[in-house]
Amino acid sequence: MKTLPTLAFVLSTGLAFAQAPDKKDATIRPTPLAPGQPSIRKPIGNIIRPPQLPQAVINTNSLLKVNVTYQNYNVQIPWQKESAGGRRGLGVVLPNNRVLVTAQMVADANYIELELPESGQKIPAKVEAVDYEANLALLAPNSPAKEKSFFTGLTGVQVDTSARIGDSLSVWQAGRVGDLIVTPMRISKVMTQGYIVDNAAFLVYEATGIIRSESNSFTLPIVKGGKLAALLLRYDSKNQVATLLPAPIIQHFLKDVADGKYDGFPSLGIEFQVTLDEQFREYLGLKENAPGVFISKVMKGGSSDQAGVKPGDILTSINGFSIDSRGDYQDPQFGAVSASHLVRGKSFVGDDVEMKVIRDGKEVVLKSKLTRKQPDDYLVRPYLFDKGPKYVLSGGVLFQELTSAYLNSFGAEQRGGALLRLQRIASNPDEFEKEGRKKVVFIGAVLPTASTQGYERMSGQVVEEVNGKKITELADVAAALKEPKDGLHILKLREFPFILHLDALRVERDNMQLLNGVFRVSELSRLE
């Protein structure tokens, strides 16, 4: 049997993606903006537009400073939090007194406030909707008594989705005393790329220009023709290249939020391989110029699975758009773009989708409704914000559910041994899903107690059973520990030594000592 090429594009939550830089799920830091040549500075109340900028810009009364105090959870010591920190950015005022920022801005927020750039007047705010995959959040004022007066004179802006390669845009920042800083940039490329969550690819603009560093540079609006065209995602000061979160994704988010029930961005739920290699095409029986990509994996319960797509199919079109051997389609506005944009950018959860595939040399038309897999529906949760990791601590044995946030909390040089085994499970969850598991429960740590003597090196072990009860999620552990067998808690592990025995009475005594003891354990479990 011929060996298939390994070049693959993974689409666990979309269709195809370009690999984003490795990031920790539980700790988000802004990309610093390095100083460049001077930008155009004018008083915030009286803009004089230079000739090299677009002729119209967002009014200055459409921007607010946003101040956030946040505190991340410690995923390795789940009963503790990290030190508190702060973020400052700019928010864009929308109709109905709502403010748009990136989701990065409000992740794990304890307190959010809006600030008028000129006067410094502040008002508390809350998150009305957030999508960490799309990196967008909508804020609402959280002070009914002050809302009307605070927003008097502020103007909500519209979103402009017309930008394309070659268009000029403007980056807006507010200076220390409220003066407006405007810098130009130009769109040089349109593609799909991950934002802040692994394996979630969306449309991005790549633009060139110099952006100076300011104290409120965490979230920056990008404008065109008096309307919002994008938000800044990342900036490479060395090459003067900015990655922008574009208006089509922003518009999709706002439209979804408007009906009062946020569904999120849909996905197909497949992995595919490009078909550029001539030997691979010959193996598949594809003609020289025939379109299509090879589907190597179909996510259980996803849109494609419900439509009847099977591994080995060759995907040739989505909703009438031909998919080439790279996995791209010809977009009328942007040119060649990954077919993932047909699903994520142009469709909503519940929309009809039609896919054409070649199966056994024949074309097959498959139809379904687009769905979105929620973070908690994954065997290994892909990201974790605004909530603490689940855990059960019993007798010094820490039981946790495997998440990407946990794996990403370790550096690459630490991912050996048990961590490497856990990483392999996260990358290939099929076997565990077939076993009926909802989550992968493992021993995250073993604290030194009387109960755990001799078990100090059991960290990273996957738990199969507790007291004879099969473990499919962490709640099963909590329930099973209430029913010891003949005065013992019996833990069955996936690997050697396979069985652990804990004295039930000693576990209870150790639990009492752990609470508010040297390890500062405030609660023995968190299941929600």
Side-chain angles (χ1 to χ4, degrees), residues 361-472:
K362 298 179 180 179
E363 184 177 81
V364 180
V365 178
L366 303 170
K367 298 181 180 181
S368 181
K369 298 284 187 181
L370 287 173
T371 62
R372 175 179 183 257
K373 198 169 183 178
Q374 299 296 327
D376 277 331
D377 295 335
Y378 287 85
L379 182 78
V380 179
R381 204 179 199 279
Y383 54 90
L384 186 67
F385 299 115
D386 305 328
K387 59 190 300 184
K390 295 181 180 180
Y391 72 94
V392 171
L393 181 61
S394 184
V397 179
L398 175 62
F399 300 89
Q400 293 181 264
E401 290 181 349
L402 184 60
T403 65
S404 292
Y406 178 84
L407 293 171
N408 290 339
S409 67
F410 296 90
E413 67 281 358
Q414 296 178 282
R415 294 190 185 181
L419 276 175
L420 182 59
R421 292 195 296 270
L422 293 175
Q423 181 67 61
R424 288 171 179 166
I425 293 172
S427 301
N428 301 282
D430 293 5
E431 177 184 352
F432 286 78
E433 290 176 337
K434 290 177 182 177
E435 293 176 0
R437 296 177 191 258
K438 299 177 183 177
K439 302 293 178 184
V440 176
V441 177
F442 70 103
I443 297 177
V446 178
L447 305 184
T449 65
S451 299
T452 61
Q453 291 185 30
Y455 296 151
E456 294 85 358
R457 297 186 179 183
M458 294 298 104
S459 298
Q461 284 273 25
V462 175
V463 180
E464 300 275 327
E465 296 180 4
V466 174
N467 295 333
K469 182 178 178 62
K470 185 178 180 180
I471 303 304
T472 63

Side-chain angles (χ1 to χ4, degrees), residues 34-282:
Q37 65 186 42
S39 302
I40 299 156
R41 278 181 174 266
K42 294 295 176 182
I44 198 162
N46 183 20
I47 291 292
I48 300 176
R49 291 185 286 274
Q52 68 267 35
L53 294 177
Q55 293 185 351
V57 292
I58 286 182
N59 293 327
T60 56
N61 57 1
S62 298
L63 301 177
L64 289 172
K65 291 184 178 180
V66 181
N67 308 314
V68 175
T69 301
Y70 70 94
Q71 193 170 15
N72 300 323
Y73 286 89
N74 188 322
V75 293
Q76 296 183 35
I77 311 175
W79 55 85
Q80 294 184 8
K81 283 189 170 185
E82 306 285 359
S83 300
R87 303 185 186 109
R88 289 174 61 83
L90 285 181
V92 181
V93 180
L94 301 175
N96 302 318
N97 297 345
R98 296 300 182 262
V99 179
L100 182 73
V101 295
T102 59
Q104 281 181 288
M105 185 72 190
V106 298
D108 296 312
N110 293 328
Y111 180 74
I112 305 170
E113 67 179 9
L114 308 175
E115 178 184 344
L116 294 173
E118 288 183 294
S119 68
Q121 181 184 349
K122 300 179 179 67
I123 186 175
K126 60 183 179 182
V127 177
E128 186 168 87
V130 63
D131 190 318
Y132 287 106
E133 293 178 11
N135 196 16
L136 289 168
L138 191 65
L139 306 182
N142 199 23
S143 178
K146 298 180 179 180
E147 177 178 344
K148 184 176 180 180
S149 60
F150 183 87
F151 280 87
T152 298
L154 297 180
T155 303
V157 301
Q158 303 298 316
V159 177
D160 182 0
T161 62
S162 67
R164 59 182 66 220
I165 294 174
D167 283 359
S168 295
L169 306 175
S170 300
V171 185
W172 276 47
Q173 298 182 77
R176 184 177 59 85
V177 293
D179 51 327
L180 186 66
I181 305 168
V182 184
T183 53
M185 62 172 40
R186 186 179 299 275
I187 299 175
S188 58
K189 187 184 299 184
V190 177
M191 55 189 174
T192 57
Q193 196 176 93
Y195 289 177
I196 62 172
V197 174
D198 292 339
N199 298 350
F202 293 87
L203 193 74
V204 298
Y205 300 156
E206 190 174 277
T208 55
I210 298 175
I211 305 177
R212 62 178 297 147
S213 177
E214 292 294 329
S215 60
N216 56 10
S217 59
F218 197 96
T219 295
L220 295 179
I222 315 294
V223 303
K224 176 192 175 187
K227 297 180 180 180
L228 180 66
L231 294 174
L232 180 69
L233 273 175
R234 291 179 286 272
Y235 181 62
D236 178 356
S237 59
K238 180 179 179 180
N239 298 303
Q240 299 177 6
V241 174
T243 303
L244 312 181
L245 196 163
I249 304 302
I250 295 172
Q251 186 181 63
H252 188 294
F253 171 75
L254 295 176
K255 185 176 179 179
D256 197 343
V257 171
D259 65 2
K261 179 180 178 296
Y262 186 69
D263 297 308
F265 290 74
S267 64
L268 279 182
I270 61 173
E271 295 180 12
F272 71 81
Q273 294 177 240
V274 300
T275 56
L276 295 171
D277 183 80
E278 292 183 3
Q279 292 182 342
F280 188 30
R281 294 180 65 85
E282 182 180 352

Side-chain angles (χ1 to χ4, degrees), residues 275-278 281-282 284-292 324-325:
T275 56
L276 295 171
D277 183 80
E278 292 183 3
R281 294 180 65 85
E282 182 180 352
L284 297 175
L286 282 176
K287 296 180 180 179
E288 183 177 353
N289 296 317
D324 67 20
S325 56

